[in-house]
Amino acid sequence: MANTPGAKKAIRKIERRTEVNKARRSRVRTFIRKFEEALTGGDAAAAKAAFVEAQSELMRAVGKGVVHKNTGARKVSRLAAQLKKLSVA
């Protein structure tokens, strides 16, 4: 258990950051889900708009340190591949 003032403060800071990071991660998942719903709907224009928003949100999470850079790039790449498959079909 933390018993120094600095360690107690660090615990408080970690709790606050954890809440913020959870919210950001949840927001990213929401935008990805909206994109996947647009894909299953088959509407290419809606899927494109949802892709742009999801990509933006993912890269914001990368910039904030919630998601690793390579993870964000991989997820965007996979979303783009799904979008391309829809537009070709």
Side-chain angles (χ1 to χ4, degrees):
M1 183 64 198
N3 57 1
T4 65
K8 289 178 181 176
K9 180 178 179 180
I11 288 172
R12 292 193 304 269
K13 284 168 58 178
I14 289 167
E15 285 175 355
R16 285 195 300 267
R17 295 304 322 156
T18 300
E19 287 304 311
V20 170
N21 289 341
K22 275 184 188 175
R24 285 200 178 110
R25 202 172 293 118
S26 173
R27 192 173 153 88
V28 167
R29 289 191 191 114
T30 299
F31 279 96
I32 290 174
R33 181 177 44 77
K34 286 180 182 177
F35 170 73
E36 288 170 350
E37 287 172 357
L39 270 183
T40 55
D43 186 6
K48 173 70 174 157
F51 170 74
V52 169
E53 289 180 339
Q55 179 184 20
S56 174
E57 203 57 44
L58 261 165
M59 288 300 110
R60 177 177 288 150
V62 167
K64 299 292 184 181
V66 178
V67 178
H68 190 274
K69 180 177 68 171
N70 292 353
T71 302
R74 183 181 68 242
K75 287 182 183 286
V76 167
S77 175
R78 288 178 180 172
L79 294 178
Q82 289 176 330
L83 181 66
K84 185 177 179 183
K85 195 184 299 182
L86 174 73
S87 62
V88 168

XYZ file of all heavy atoms in Angstrom:
678
model
N 0.840 -1.190 0.000
C 0.000 0.000 0.000
C 0.878 1.243 0.000
O 1.914 1.283 0.675
C -0.901 -0.047 1.241
C -1.892 1.073 1.356
S -3.082 1.015 0.009
C -3.723 2.649 0.087
N 0.472 2.253 -0.727
C 1.245 3.491 -0.812
C 1.205 4.200 0.529
O 0.146 4.376 1.120
C 0.665 4.387 -1.886
N 2.360 4.613 1.008
C 2.364 5.296 2.291
C 3.100 6.631 2.255
O 3.128 7.332 3.254
C 2.926 4.386 3.391
C 4.320 3.894 3.056
O 4.867 4.246 2.027
N 4.878 3.070 3.928
N 3.682 6.975 1.130
C 4.312 8.297 1.039
C 3.348 9.248 0.331
O 2.534 8.814 -0.495
C 5.638 8.229 0.249
O 5.342 7.856 -1.093
C 6.597 7.218 0.868
N 3.426 10.526 0.632
C 2.519 11.486 -0.020
C 2.626 11.459 -1.546
O 1.611 11.547 -2.247
C 2.973 12.833 0.539
C 3.616 12.510 1.843
C 4.241 11.160 1.664
N 3.831 11.282 -2.046
C 4.022 11.240 -3.500
C 3.355 10.029 -4.127
O 2.744 10.116 -5.196
N 3.438 8.891 -3.444
C 2.823 7.670 -3.958
C 1.302 7.779 -3.917
O 0.608 7.334 -4.836
C 3.289 6.469 -3.149
N 0.764 8.400 -2.878
C -0.685 8.586 -2.778
C -1.180 9.513 -3.878
O -2.235 9.285 -4.477
C -1.057 9.140 -1.407
C -0.879 8.125 -0.298
C -1.211 8.699 1.054
C -0.999 7.648 2.137
N -1.209 8.189 3.483
N -0.416 10.554 -4.156
C -0.789 11.484 -5.229
C -0.746 10.767 -6.578
O -1.618 10.960 -7.428
C 0.151 12.689 -5.236
C -0.168 13.695 -6.315
C 0.756 14.878 -6.254
C 0.441 15.872 -7.351
N 1.333 17.029 -7.314
N 0.270 9.929 -6.781
C 0.392 9.182 -8.039
C -0.820 8.287 -8.239
O -1.336 8.174 -9.361
C 1.670 8.352 -8.039
N -1.308 7.676 -7.175
C -2.499 6.821 -7.275
C -3.702 7.649 -7.712
O -4.486 7.233 -8.565
C -2.769 6.101 -5.940
C -1.716 5.012 -5.723
C -4.166 5.509 -5.909
C -1.758 4.375 -4.363
N -3.854 8.833 -7.141
C -4.972 9.707 -7.522
C -4.869 10.109 -8.997
O -5.867 10.110 -9.728
C -5.013 10.957 -6.640
C -5.369 10.686 -5.198
C -5.705 11.957 -4.447
N -4.669 12.972 -4.485
C -3.686 13.113 -3.593
N -3.599 12.273 -2.572
N -2.799 14.086 -3.705
N -3.669 10.438 -9.433
C -3.460 10.832 -10.831
C -3.779 9.666 -11.775
O -4.425 9.851 -12.812
C -2.022 11.299 -11.062
C -1.740 12.686 -10.534
C -0.269 13.022 -10.504
C 0.401 12.926 -11.832
N 1.829 13.313 -11.786
N -3.327 8.482 -11.412
C -3.559 7.299 -12.242
C -5.052 7.033 -12.379
O -5.527 6.708 -13.475
C -2.822 6.072 -11.649
C -1.318 6.219 -11.843
C -3.322 4.781 -12.275
C -0.482 5.253 -11.033
N -5.804 7.174 -11.289
C -7.250 6.958 -11.346
C -7.917 7.930 -12.314
O -8.785 7.547 -13.097
C -7.876 7.092 -9.956
C -7.606 5.911 -9.055
C -8.125 6.111 -7.647
O -8.631 7.214 -7.322
O -8.027 5.163 -6.857
N -7.507 9.198 -12.271
C -8.087 10.202 -13.173
C -7.734 9.886 -14.624
O -8.586 9.953 -15.512
C -7.610 11.607 -12.806
C -8.261 12.167 -11.557
C -8.043 13.653 -11.425
N -6.639 14.028 -11.357
C -5.950 14.192 -10.232
N -6.539 14.018 -9.063
N -4.685 14.544 -10.255
N -6.476 9.552 -14.887
C -6.045 9.258 -16.251
C -6.765 8.014 -16.776
O -7.117 7.937 -17.952
C -4.530 9.015 -16.330
C -3.651 10.162 -16.002
C -3.877 11.425 -16.811
N -4.186 11.249 -18.204
C -4.853 12.149 -18.944
N -5.299 13.255 -18.418
N -5.088 11.936 -20.215
N -6.954 7.019 -15.913
C -7.617 5.788 -16.321
C -9.025 6.076 -16.800
O -9.466 5.531 -17.816
C -7.637 4.780 -15.150
O -6.287 4.485 -14.780
C -8.338 3.499 -15.546
N -9.741 6.939 -16.091
C -11.104 7.294 -16.497
C -11.107 7.974 -17.862
O -11.929 7.667 -18.719
C -11.761 8.200 -15.452
C -12.144 7.471 -14.185
C -13.052 6.284 -14.434
O -14.055 6.432 -15.156
O -12.756 5.204 -13.903
N -10.185 8.898 -18.072
C -10.094 9.607 -19.355
C -9.766 8.633 -20.478
O -10.380 8.661 -21.557
C -9.039 10.733 -19.281
C -8.770 11.313 -20.646
C -9.492 11.810 -18.303
N -8.803 7.736 -20.227
C -8.395 6.782 -21.253
C -9.512 5.797 -21.589
O -9.687 5.429 -22.747
C -7.138 6.033 -20.820
C -5.915 6.927 -20.825
O -5.906 7.984 -21.455
N -4.882 6.519 -20.110
N -10.279 5.388 -20.565
C -11.410 4.486 -20.810
C -12.421 5.162 -21.726
O -12.955 4.542 -22.650
C -12.095 4.111 -19.500
C -11.475 2.964 -18.764
C -12.320 2.643 -17.545
C -11.651 1.630 -16.652
N -12.414 1.417 -15.409
N -12.681 6.439 -21.447
C -13.649 7.179 -22.257
C -13.161 7.295 -23.695
O -13.942 7.137 -24.645
C -13.878 8.563 -21.666
N -11.880 7.571 -23.879
C -11.329 7.695 -25.240
C -11.402 6.376 -25.983
O -11.757 6.325 -27.160
C -9.879 8.175 -25.180
C -9.755 9.640 -24.860
C -8.400 10.192 -25.269
N -8.352 11.614 -24.988
C -7.603 12.163 -24.037
N -6.818 11.419 -23.296
N -7.611 13.467 -23.851
N -11.040 5.304 -25.300
C -11.067 3.979 -25.930
C -12.496 3.603 -26.316
O -12.744 3.071 -27.399
C -10.474 2.948 -24.969
C -9.971 1.709 -25.647
C -9.211 0.779 -24.708
N -7.965 1.369 -24.248
C -7.680 1.630 -22.962
N -8.543 1.359 -22.017
N -6.522 2.158 -22.631
N -13.427 3.920 -25.444
C -14.834 3.639 -25.720
C -15.310 4.439 -26.926
O -16.058 3.939 -27.768
C -15.669 3.998 -24.490
O -17.033 3.890 -24.775
N -14.880 5.683 -27.015
C -15.255 6.548 -28.133
C -14.741 5.980 -29.458
O -15.461 5.972 -30.461
C -14.689 7.943 -27.875
C -15.202 9.018 -28.755
C -14.689 10.367 -28.268
N -14.607 11.301 -29.357
C -15.618 12.075 -29.740
N -16.763 12.020 -29.101
N -15.466 12.901 -30.749
N -13.513 5.480 -29.443
C -12.933 4.863 -30.641
C -13.775 3.655 -31.059
O -14.120 3.499 -32.236
C -11.468 4.438 -30.391
C -10.967 3.526 -31.496
C -10.581 5.663 -30.277
N -14.128 2.822 -30.084
C -14.921 1.630 -30.391
C -16.280 2.006 -30.983
O -16.780 1.333 -31.886
C -15.128 0.789 -29.126
C -13.865 0.094 -28.664
C -14.193 -0.924 -27.585
N -12.972 -1.390 -26.962
C -12.646 -1.147 -25.685
N -13.446 -0.462 -24.898
N -11.522 -1.598 -25.193
N -16.865 3.102 -30.471
C -18.158 3.552 -30.976
C -18.060 3.924 -32.446
O -18.910 3.532 -33.260
C -18.648 4.761 -30.161
O -18.796 4.354 -28.797
C -19.967 5.283 -30.690
N -17.023 4.679 -32.812
C -16.872 5.094 -34.205
C -16.583 3.908 -35.119
O -17.065 3.864 -36.254
C -15.787 6.170 -34.339
C -16.271 7.536 -33.981
C -16.080 8.057 -32.719
C -16.947 8.308 -34.911
C -16.537 9.315 -32.384
C -17.409 9.576 -34.599
C -17.205 10.080 -33.323
N -15.808 2.944 -34.632
C -15.538 1.737 -35.417
C -16.834 0.958 -35.628
O -17.115 0.461 -36.725
C -14.453 0.871 -34.749
C -13.094 1.574 -34.841
C -14.381 -0.507 -35.384
C -11.980 0.897 -34.099
N -17.656 0.860 -34.568
C -18.930 0.148 -34.678
C -19.848 0.840 -35.680
O -20.501 0.179 -36.498
C -19.610 0.069 -33.313
C -20.927 -0.687 -33.338
C -21.553 -0.824 -31.964
N -21.531 0.387 -31.172
C -22.369 1.440 -31.348
N -23.280 1.404 -32.289
N -22.287 2.499 -30.573
N -19.868 2.170 -35.674
C -20.699 2.901 -36.634
C -20.244 2.614 -38.068
O -21.068 2.463 -38.980
C -20.641 4.408 -36.361
C -21.434 4.826 -35.148
C -21.336 6.320 -34.932
C -22.096 6.743 -33.688
N -21.950 8.183 -33.421
N -18.932 2.522 -38.259
C -18.399 2.202 -39.579
C -18.831 0.798 -40.000
O -19.270 0.586 -41.136
C -16.871 2.304 -39.576
C -16.232 1.764 -40.823
C -16.317 2.452 -42.019
C -15.554 0.558 -40.802
C -15.737 1.940 -43.178
C -14.966 0.046 -41.947
C -15.063 0.743 -43.137
N -18.720 -0.163 -39.089
C -19.082 -1.539 -39.417
C -20.573 -1.662 -39.713
O -20.978 -2.427 -40.594
C -18.672 -2.468 -38.274
C -17.157 -2.645 -38.196
C -16.689 -3.364 -36.950
O -17.505 -3.580 -36.018
O -15.504 -3.717 -36.898
N -21.396 -0.881 -39.012
C -22.834 -0.891 -39.288
C -23.119 -0.321 -40.673
O -23.980 -0.819 -41.394
C -23.584 -0.103 -38.214
C -23.656 -0.824 -36.883
C -24.222 0.034 -35.765
O -24.521 1.227 -36.008
O -24.357 -0.489 -34.647
N -22.389 0.737 -41.047
C -22.561 1.310 -42.377
C -22.122 0.306 -43.451
O -22.729 0.230 -44.524
C -21.760 2.609 -42.498
N -21.085 -0.463 -43.162
C -20.622 -1.492 -44.107
C -21.698 -2.552 -44.317
O -21.992 -2.921 -45.459
C -19.361 -2.183 -43.572
C -18.011 -1.606 -43.928
C -16.916 -2.490 -43.356
C -17.817 -1.438 -45.411
N -22.256 -3.035 -43.220
C -23.258 -4.093 -43.347
C -24.515 -3.570 -44.020
O -25.230 -4.338 -44.664
C -23.623 -4.693 -41.971
O -24.047 -3.641 -41.105
C -22.440 -5.413 -41.356
N -24.769 -2.266 -43.898
C -25.898 -1.663 -44.593
C -25.687 -1.624 -46.091
O -26.642 -1.550 -46.860
N -24.432 -1.641 -46.518
C -24.111 -1.666 -47.938
C -24.077 -0.300 -48.586
O -23.893 -0.194 -49.800
N -24.237 0.767 -47.804
C -24.215 2.125 -48.353
C -22.771 2.620 -48.395
O -22.176 2.901 -47.352
C -25.080 3.044 -47.493
C -25.210 4.439 -48.080
O -24.729 4.644 -49.211
O -25.793 5.306 -47.408
N -22.205 2.727 -49.594
C -20.796 3.094 -49.744
C -20.534 4.514 -49.268
O -19.500 4.788 -48.647
C -20.356 2.945 -51.195
N -21.462 5.440 -49.538
C -21.258 6.836 -49.136
C -21.262 6.970 -47.615
O -20.410 7.659 -47.034
C -22.333 7.722 -49.748
N -22.207 6.303 -46.958
C -22.268 6.351 -45.496
C -21.047 5.675 -44.889
O -20.500 6.141 -43.878
C -23.546 5.687 -44.999
N -20.605 4.581 -45.499
C -19.431 3.871 -45.000
C -18.183 4.731 -45.129
O -17.339 4.749 -44.231
C -19.248 2.556 -45.752
N -18.084 5.470 -46.230
C -16.931 6.361 -46.445
C -16.907 7.453 -45.381
O -15.853 7.742 -44.804
C -17.019 6.973 -47.851
C -15.991 8.038 -48.152
C -14.596 7.488 -48.276
C -13.645 8.589 -48.731
N -12.269 8.292 -48.368
N -18.070 8.056 -45.112
C -18.138 9.107 -44.095
C -17.801 8.538 -42.716
O -17.053 9.165 -41.945
C -19.530 9.725 -44.087
N -18.315 7.356 -42.409
C -18.039 6.725 -41.120
C -16.563 6.346 -41.017
O -15.970 6.429 -39.936
C -18.916 5.493 -40.939
N -15.967 5.936 -42.140
C -14.542 5.591 -42.147
C -13.682 6.802 -41.803
O -12.751 6.706 -41.002
C -14.118 5.036 -43.511
C -12.629 4.896 -43.664
C -11.953 3.876 -43.024
C -11.907 5.794 -44.426
C -10.570 3.738 -43.159
C -10.537 5.671 -44.562
C -9.862 4.642 -43.922
N -14.011 7.955 -42.404
C -13.232 9.175 -42.148
C -13.303 9.529 -40.664
O -12.279 9.872 -40.044
C -13.747 10.336 -43.029
C -13.141 11.650 -42.603
C -13.455 10.057 -44.493
N -14.489 9.434 -40.078
C -14.635 9.746 -38.653
C -13.893 8.738 -37.782
O -13.240 9.113 -36.805
C -16.111 9.774 -38.266
C -16.857 10.964 -38.817
C -18.316 10.969 -38.420
O -18.850 9.884 -38.069
O -18.920 12.052 -38.467
N -13.987 7.458 -38.118
C -13.317 6.417 -37.336
C -11.799 6.576 -37.422
O -11.095 6.432 -36.414
C -13.726 5.031 -37.826
N -11.315 6.881 -38.607
C -9.876 7.081 -38.789
C -9.393 8.259 -37.955
O -8.370 8.171 -37.273
C -9.563 7.316 -40.267
C -8.095 7.546 -40.548
C -7.831 7.861 -42.007
O -8.722 8.257 -42.740
N -6.607 7.692 -42.433
N -10.131 9.345 -37.996
C -9.773 10.528 -37.229
C -9.736 10.226 -35.734
O -8.797 10.622 -35.024
C -10.782 11.640 -37.517
O -10.554 12.743 -36.693
N -10.739 9.509 -35.269
C -10.817 9.183 -33.841
C -9.689 8.244 -33.429
O -9.105 8.399 -32.351
C -12.173 8.561 -33.548
C -12.586 8.676 -32.116
C -12.621 10.093 -31.592
O -13.121 10.994 -32.280
O -12.130 10.307 -30.464
N -9.366 7.275 -34.287
C -8.269 6.355 -33.985
C -6.939 7.092 -33.897
O -6.150 6.870 -32.976
C -8.173 5.271 -35.057
C -8.815 3.947 -34.715
C -8.988 3.091 -35.949
C -8.002 3.209 -33.686
N -6.703 7.996 -34.842
C -5.438 8.725 -34.841
C -5.352 9.694 -33.657
O -4.283 9.946 -33.122
C -5.242 9.471 -36.167
C -4.929 8.538 -37.327
S -3.414 7.576 -37.061
C -4.044 5.939 -36.828
N -6.495 10.216 -33.240
C -6.515 11.065 -32.040
C -6.120 10.241 -30.823
O -5.340 10.695 -29.973
C -7.888 11.678 -31.834
C -7.979 12.511 -30.568
C -9.324 13.174 -30.422
N -9.439 14.239 -31.396
C -10.569 14.646 -31.936
N -11.708 14.066 -31.597
N -10.602 15.624 -32.797
N -6.638 9.012 -30.724
C -6.292 8.129 -29.609
C -4.800 7.799 -29.631
O -4.160 7.715 -28.582
C -7.122 6.856 -29.672
N -4.256 7.636 -30.834
C -2.814 7.382 -30.961
C -2.036 8.584 -30.443
O -1.080 8.443 -29.680
C -2.437 7.089 -32.433
C -0.930 7.136 -32.616
C -2.979 5.737 -32.860
N -2.457 9.767 -30.832
C -1.773 10.984 -30.402
C -1.833 11.188 -28.901
O -0.890 11.725 -28.297
N -2.921 10.760 -28.292
C -3.082 10.916 -26.840
C -2.403 9.792 -26.066
O -2.373 9.804 -24.843
C -4.571 10.942 -26.473
C -5.348 12.072 -27.102
C -4.934 13.409 -26.547
C -5.793 14.517 -27.117
N -5.408 15.827 -26.608
N -1.915 8.775 -26.778
C -1.204 7.690 -26.107
C -2.106 6.590 -25.589
O -1.661 5.739 -24.823
N -3.370 6.596 -25.978
C -4.300 5.563 -25.528
C -4.074 4.281 -26.319
O -4.178 3.174 -25.782
C -5.761 6.037 -25.688
C -6.738 4.955 -25.280
C -5.993 7.287 -24.871
N -3.757 4.433 -27.609
C -3.518 3.299 -28.507
C -2.112 3.469 -29.074
O -1.692 4.579 -29.386
C -4.559 3.296 -29.652
C -4.301 2.162 -30.611
C -5.959 3.222 -29.106
N -1.392 2.362 -29.206
C -0.053 2.419 -29.791
C -0.137 2.811 -31.266
O -1.122 2.502 -31.944
C 0.621 1.045 -29.639
C 2.081 1.061 -29.979
N 2.534 0.905 -31.270
C 3.172 1.231 -29.202
C 3.867 0.973 -31.260
N 4.268 1.170 -30.023
N 0.891 3.481 -31.729
C 0.932 3.981 -33.110
C 0.696 2.880 -34.137
O -0.128 3.028 -35.052
C 2.291 4.651 -33.353
C 2.480 5.214 -34.739
C 3.816 5.925 -34.863
C 4.956 4.941 -34.792
N 6.261 5.539 -35.124
N 1.386 1.768 -33.994
C 1.250 0.670 -34.961
C -0.133 0.022 -34.885
O -0.682 -0.391 -35.906
C 2.328 -0.382 -34.733
C 3.713 0.135 -35.072
O 3.856 1.230 -35.591
N 4.735 -0.639 -34.755
N -0.688 -0.047 -33.682
C -2.031 -0.611 -33.523
C -3.043 0.251 -34.250
O -3.915 -0.257 -34.962
C -2.396 -0.714 -32.032
O -1.422 -1.524 -31.378
C -3.770 -1.312 -31.845
N -2.919 1.561 -34.080
C -3.827 2.483 -34.761
C -3.710 2.372 -36.266
O -4.717 2.311 -36.979
N -2.483 2.307 -36.752
C -2.255 2.205 -38.195
C -2.823 0.889 -38.737
O -3.430 0.857 -39.814
C -0.763 2.299 -38.497
N -2.643 -0.197 -37.985
C -3.159 -1.496 -38.413
C -4.678 -1.491 -38.488
O -5.268 -1.973 -39.450
C -2.690 -2.589 -37.440
C -3.119 -3.984 -37.855
C -2.670 -5.030 -36.857
N -3.369 -4.893 -35.592
C -2.779 -4.629 -34.424
N -1.476 -4.447 -34.352
N -3.491 -4.523 -33.322
N -5.312 -0.899 -37.478
C -6.775 -0.852 -37.463
C -7.309 -0.006 -38.619
O -8.265 -0.394 -39.292
C -7.278 -0.317 -36.126
C -7.122 -1.302 -34.986
C -7.674 -0.750 -33.694
C -7.459 -1.681 -32.530
N -8.343 -2.834 -32.550
N -6.677 1.144 -38.874
C -7.105 2.008 -39.983
C -6.923 1.264 -41.306
O -7.795 1.317 -42.185
C -6.321 3.337 -39.978
C -6.528 4.094 -41.278
C -6.744 4.197 -38.805
N -5.816 0.560 -41.451
C -5.546 -0.183 -42.677
C -6.612 -1.245 -42.918
O -7.102 -1.409 -44.043
C -4.167 -0.837 -42.581
O -3.928 -1.649 -43.695
N -7.003 -1.946 -41.868
C -8.015 -2.988 -42.018
C -9.383 -2.401 -42.347
O -10.139 -2.964 -43.147
C -8.088 -3.835 -40.751
C -6.859 -4.727 -40.619
C -6.875 -5.548 -39.358
N -5.672 -6.375 -39.291
C -5.317 -7.081 -38.238
N -6.073 -7.071 -37.157
N -4.213 -7.795 -38.249
N -9.697 -1.255 -41.736
C -10.964 -0.594 -42.047
C -10.968 -0.135 -43.503
O -11.975 -0.277 -44.204
C -11.189 0.603 -41.119
C -11.388 0.308 -39.635
C -11.554 1.612 -38.857
C -12.563 -0.610 -39.397
N -9.834 0.400 -43.963
C -9.741 0.870 -45.343
C -9.896 -0.301 -46.324
O -10.529 -0.163 -47.375
C -8.406 1.567 -45.574
N -9.328 -1.454 -45.975
C -9.449 -2.636 -46.839
C -10.907 -3.071 -46.935
O -11.380 -3.450 -48.013
C -8.583 -3.766 -46.302
N -11.631 -3.003 -45.818
C -13.050 -3.377 -45.830
C -13.856 -2.399 -46.689
O -14.734 -2.806 -47.445
C -13.609 -3.378 -44.402
C -13.110 -4.512 -43.549
C -13.600 -4.413 -42.132
O -13.830 -3.337 -41.607
N -13.758 -5.564 -41.490
N -13.518 -1.113 -46.588
C -14.200 -0.102 -47.370
C -13.938 -0.302 -48.858
O -14.848 -0.214 -49.689
C -13.761 1.302 -46.944
C -14.405 2.470 -47.669
C -15.892 2.519 -47.352
C -13.747 3.776 -47.245
N -12.695 -0.624 -49.180
C -12.335 -0.847 -50.582
C -13.073 -2.052 -51.148
O -13.566 -2.021 -52.276
C -10.824 -1.067 -50.693
C -10.318 -1.189 -52.107
C -8.800 -1.323 -52.123
C -8.297 -1.462 -53.539
N -6.836 -1.673 -53.576
N -13.193 -3.101 -50.337
C -13.906 -4.300 -50.778
C -15.373 -3.971 -51.069
O -15.946 -4.475 -52.029
C -13.814 -5.368 -49.676
C -14.203 -6.758 -50.153
C -14.202 -7.772 -49.015
C -12.841 -7.922 -48.366
N -12.860 -8.937 -47.296
N -15.961 -3.093 -50.248
C -17.359 -2.713 -50.463
C -17.526 -1.904 -51.728
O -18.446 -2.123 -52.515
C -17.881 -1.890 -49.274
C -19.276 -1.317 -49.420
C -20.306 -2.446 -49.301
C -19.543 -0.259 -48.370
N -16.607 -0.955 -51.962
C -16.740 -0.085 -53.130
C -16.480 -0.827 -54.432
O -17.031 -0.480 -55.476
C -15.803 1.120 -52.997
O -14.466 0.702 -52.938
N -15.648 -1.876 -54.407
C -15.378 -2.675 -55.611
C -16.580 -3.548 -55.939
O -16.947 -3.690 -57.106
C -14.118 -3.541 -55.399
C -13.986 -4.583 -56.484
C -12.872 -2.665 -55.365
N -17.180 -4.097 -54.893
C -18.330 -5.015 -55.104
C -19.576 -4.319 -55.572
O -19.739 -3.186 -55.697
C -18.642 -5.754 -53.810
